[in-house]
Coordinates of all heavy atoms in Angstrom, one line a residue:
Chain A
Y48 N 9.9 12.3 -2.2 CA 10.2 11.2 -3.1 C 9.6 11.5 -4.5 O 8.5 12.1 -4.6 CB 9.5 9.9 -2.6 CG 10.1 9.4 -1.3 CD1 9.5 9.7 -0.1 CD2 11.3 8.7 -1.3 CE1 10.0 9.3 1.1 CE2 11.8 8.2 -0.2 CZ 11.2 8.6 1.0 OH 11.7 8.1 2.2
K83 N -7.3 4.3 11.1 CA -7.9 3.2 11.6 C -7.7 3.0 13.1 O -8.2 2.1 13.8 CB -7.5 1.9 10.9 CG -6.0 1.6 11.1 CD -5.7 0.4 10.3 CE -4.3 0.1 10.4 NZ -4.0 -1.1 9.6
H93 N -7.2 -9.4 18.9 CA -6.5 -8.1 19.1 C -6.7 -7.6 20.5 O -5.8 -7.1 21.1 CB -7.0 -7.1 18.1 CG -6.7 -7.4 16.7 ND1 -7.3 -6.7 15.7 CD2 -6.0 -8.4 16.1 CE1 -6.9 -7.2 14.5 NE2 -6.1 -8.3 14.8
R104 N 3.6 0.4 23.3 CA 3.5 1.9 23.2 C 4.4 2.6 24.2 O 5.0 3.6 23.9 CB 2.0 2.3 23.4 CG 1.9 3.8 23.5 CD 0.4 4.2 23.6 NE -0.3 4.1 22.3 CZ -1.4 4.7 22.0 NH1 -2.0 5.4 22.9 NH2 -2.0 4.5 20.8
R107 N 7.8 2.4 23.0 CA 7.9 3.3 21.9 C 8.1 4.7 22.4 O 9.0 5.5 22.0 CB 6.7 3.2 21.0 CG 7.0 3.9 19.7 CD 5.7 4.1 18.9 NE 4.8 5.0 19.6 CZ 3.5 5.0 19.5 NH1 2.9 4.1 18.9 NH2 2.8 5.9 20.2
R119 N 11.2 4.9 12.1 CA 10.1 5.2 11.2 C 10.6 5.3 9.8 O 10.1 4.7 8.8 CB 9.5 6.6 11.6 CG 8.1 6.9 11.2 CD 7.5 5.9 10.2 NE 6.7 4.9 11.0 CZ 6.1 3.9 10.4 NH1 6.3 3.6 9.1 NH2 5.5 3.0 11.1
N123 N 9.6 2.9 6.8 CA 9.0 3.4 5.5 C 9.8 2.8 4.4 O 9.2 2.4 3.4 CB 9.2 4.9 5.5 CG 8.3 5.6 6.4 OD1 7.4 5.0 7.0 ND2 8.5 6.9 6.6
R127 N 8.2 0.5 1.5 CA 8.4 0.8 0.0 C 8.9 -0.4 -0.7 O 8.3 -0.7 -1.8 CB 9.3 2.0 -0.1 CG 8.7 3.4 -0.2 CD 9.6 4.4 -0.8 NE 10.9 4.4 -0.2 CZ 11.2 5.1 0.9 NH1 10.3 5.7 1.6 NH2 12.4 5.1 1.4
H131 N 7.0 -2.4 -3.7 CA 7.7 -2.5 -5.0 C 7.7 -4.0 -5.4 O 7.5 -4.3 -6.6 CB 9.1 -2.0 -4.9 CG 9.2 -0.5 -4.8 ND1 10.3 0.2 -4.5 CD2 8.2 0.5 -4.9 CE1 10.1 1.5 -4.5 NE2 8.8 1.7 -4.7
D193 N -14.6 -1.0 -14.7 CA -13.7 -1.7 -15.7 C -14.5 -2.7 -16.5 O -13.9 -3.7 -17.0 CB -12.6 -2.5 -14.9 CG -12.0 -1.7 -13.8 OD1 -11.7 -0.5 -14.0 OD2 -11.9 -2.2 -12.7
Chain B
dG4 P -14.8 6.5 -9.5 OP1 -15.9 5.6 -9.9 OP2 -14.5 6.9 -8.1 O5' -13.5 5.9 -10.1 C5' -13.3 5.9 -11.6 C4' -11.9 5.6 -11.9 O4' -11.1 6.8 -11.7 C3' -11.3 4.5 -11.0 O3' -10.6 3.6 -11.9 C2' -10.3 5.3 -10.1 C1' -9.9 6.5 -10.9 N9 -9.5 7.7 -10.2 C8 -10.3 8.3 -9.2 N7 -9.7 9.3 -8.7 C5 -8.5 9.4 -9.4 C6 -7.5 10.4 -9.3 O6 -7.4 11.4 -8.6 N1 -6.5 10.2 -10.3 C2 -6.5 9.2 -11.2 N2 -5.5 9.1 -12.0 N3 -7.5 8.2 -11.3 C4 -8.4 8.4 -10.4
dC5 P -10.0 2.3 -11.3 OP1 -10.2 1.2 -12.4 OP2 -10.7 2.0 -10.0 O5' -8.5 2.5 -11.1 C5' -7.7 3.0 -12.2 C4' -6.4 3.5 -11.6 O4' -6.5 4.7 -11.0 C3' -5.7 2.5 -10.6 O3' -4.5 2.0 -11.2 C2' -5.4 3.4 -9.4 C1' -5.5 4.8 -10.0 N1 -6.0 5.8 -9.0 C2 -5.2 7.0 -8.8 O2 -4.2 7.1 -9.4 N3 -5.6 7.9 -7.9 C4 -6.7 7.7 -7.2 N4 -7.1 8.7 -6.4 C5 -7.5 6.5 -7.4 C6 -7.1 5.6 -8.3
dC6 P -3.7 0.9 -10.5 OP1 -3.0 0.1 -11.5 OP2 -4.5 0.3 -9.4 O5' -2.5 1.8 -9.7 C5' -1.8 2.7 -10.5 C4' -1.1 3.6 -9.6 O4' -2.0 4.5 -8.9 C3' -0.3 2.9 -8.5 O3' 1.1 3.0 -8.8 C2' -0.6 3.7 -7.3 C1' -1.4 4.9 -7.7 N1 -2.5 5.3 -6.8 C2 -2.4 6.5 -6.2 O2 -1.5 7.2 -6.4 N3 -3.4 6.9 -5.3 C4 -4.5 6.1 -5.2 N4 -5.4 6.5 -4.3 C5 -4.6 4.8 -5.8 C6 -3.5 4.5 -6.6
dA7 P 2.1 2.2 -8.0 OP1 3.2 1.7 -8.9 OP2 1.4 1.3 -7.1 O5' 2.7 3.3 -7.0 C5' 3.2 4.5 -7.6 C4' 3.8 5.4 -6.5 O4' 2.7 6.0 -5.8 C3' 4.6 4.7 -5.5 O3' 5.7 5.6 -5.1 C2' 3.7 4.5 -4.3 C1' 2.7 5.7 -4.4 N9 1.4 5.4 -3.9 C8 0.6 4.3 -4.3 N7 -0.6 4.2 -3.8 C5 -0.7 5.5 -3.1 C6 -1.7 6.1 -2.3 N6 -2.9 5.6 -2.2 N1 -1.4 7.3 -1.8 C2 -0.2 7.8 -2.0 N3 0.8 7.4 -2.7 C4 0.5 6.2 -3.2
dT8 P 6.9 5.0 -4.2 OP1 8.1 5.7 -4.6 OP2 6.8 3.6 -4.0 O5' 6.4 5.7 -2.8 C5' 6.2 7.1 -2.7 C4' 5.6 7.4 -1.4 O4' 4.2 7.0 -1.4 C3' 6.3 6.8 -0.1 O3' 6.8 7.8 0.6 C2' 5.1 6.1 0.6 C1' 3.8 6.7 0.0 N1 2.6 5.9 0.0 C2 1.5 6.4 0.6 O2 1.4 7.4 1.2 N3 0.4 5.5 0.6 C4 0.4 4.3 -0.1 O4 -0.7 3.6 -0.1 C5 1.6 3.8 -0.7 C7 1.6 2.5 -1.4 C6 2.7 4.7 -0.7
dC9 P 7.7 7.5 1.9 OP1 8.7 8.5 2.0 OP2 8.0 6.0 2.0 O5' 6.6 7.7 3.0 C5' 5.9 9.0 3.0 C4' 4.9 9.1 4.1 O4' 3.7 8.2 3.8 C3' 5.4 8.6 5.5 O3' 5.0 9.5 6.5 C2' 4.7 7.3 5.7 C1' 3.4 7.4 4.9 N1 2.8 6.2 4.4 C2 1.5 5.9 4.7 O2 0.8 6.7 5.3 N3 0.9 4.8 4.2 C4 1.6 3.9 3.4 N4 1.1 2.8 3.0 C5 3.0 4.2 3.2 C6 3.6 5.3 3.6
dT10 P 5.6 9.5 7.9 OP1 5.6 10.9 8.5 OP2 6.9 8.7 7.9 O5' 4.6 8.6 8.7 C5' 3.2 9.0 8.8 C4' 2.4 8.0 9.4 O4' 2.1 6.9 8.4 C3' 3.0 7.3 10.6 O3' 2.4 7.7 11.7 C2' 2.7 5.7 10.4 C1' 1.8 5.7 9.1 N1 2.0 4.6 8.2 C2 1.0 3.8 7.9 O2 -0.1 3.9 8.3 N3 1.3 2.8 7.0 C4 2.5 2.5 6.4 O4 2.6 1.6 5.6 C5 3.6 3.4 6.8 C7 5.0 3.2 6.2 C6 3.3 4.4 7.6
dG11 P 3.0 7.4 13.2 OP1 2.8 8.7 14.0 OP2 4.3 6.8 13.0 O5' 2.0 6.3 13.8 C5' 0.7 6.6 13.8 C4' -0.1 5.2 14.0 O4' 0.1 4.4 12.9 C3' 0.4 4.4 15.2 O3' -0.7 3.9 15.8 C2' 1.3 3.4 14.6 C1' 0.6 3.1 13.3 N9 1.4 2.6 12.2 C8 2.7 2.9 11.9 N7 3.1 2.2 10.9 C5 2.0 1.4 10.4 C6 2.0 0.6 9.4 O6 2.8 0.2 8.5 N1 0.6 0.0 9.3 C2 -0.4 0.3 10.2 N2 -1.5 -0.3 9.9 N3 -0.3 1.1 11.2 C4 1.0 1.7 11.2
dG12 P -0.6 3.2 17.2 OP1 -1.5 4.0 18.1 OP2 0.8 2.9 17.6 O5' -1.4 1.8 17.0 C5' -2.7 1.8 16.4 C4' -3.0 0.5 15.9 O4' -2.2 0.2 14.7 C3' -2.8 -0.7 16.9 O3' -3.9 -1.6 16.9 C2' -1.5 -1.3 16.4 C1' -1.6 -1.1 14.9 N9 -0.3 -1.0 14.2 C8 0.7 -0.3 14.5 N7 1.8 -0.4 13.7 C5 1.4 -1.4 12.8 C6 2.0 -2.0 11.7 O6 3.2 -1.8 11.3 N1 1.2 -3.0 11.1 C2 0.0 -3.3 11.5 N2 -0.6 -4.3 10.7 N3 -0.7 -2.7 12.5 C4 0.1 -1.8 13.1
dT13 P -4.0 -2.7 18.0 OP1 -5.4 -2.8 18.3 OP2 -3.0 -2.4 19.0 O5' -3.5 -4.0 17.2 C5' -4.2 -4.3 16.0 C4' -3.5 -5.5 15.3 O4' -2.3 -5.0 14.7 C3' -3.1 -6.6 16.1 O3' -3.7 -7.8 15.6 C2' -1.6 -6.7 16.1 C1' -1.3 -6.0 14.8 N1 0.0 -5.3 14.7 C2 0.9 -5.7 13.7 O2 0.6 -6.5 12.8 N3 2.1 -5.0 13.7 C4 2.5 -4.1 14.6 O4 3.6 -3.6 14.5 C5 1.6 -3.8 15.7 C7 2.0 -2.8 16.7 C6 0.4 -4.4 15.7
dC14 P -3.6 -9.2 16.3 OP1 -4.9 -9.9 16.1 OP2 -3.0 -9.0 17.7 O5' -2.5 -9.9 15.4 C5' -2.8 -9.9 14.0 C4' -1.6 -10.6 13.3 O4' -0.4 -9.7 13.3 C3' -1.2 -11.9 13.9 O3' -0.9 -12.8 12.8 C2' 0.1 -11.6 14.6 C1' 0.7 -10.4 13.8 N1 1.6 -9.4 14.4 C2 2.8 -9.1 13.9 O2 3.2 -9.7 12.9 N3 3.6 -8.2 14.6 C4 3.1 -7.7 15.7 N4 3.9 -6.7 16.3 C5 1.9 -8.0 16.3 C6 1.1 -8.9 15.6

Side-chain angles (χ1 to χ4, degrees):
Chain A
Y48 294 97
K83 67 179 176 180
H93 297 172
R104 171 176 287 198
R107 191 193 68 208
R119 202 353 95 190
N123 289 349
R127 267 198 309 279
H131 289 169
D193 316 316

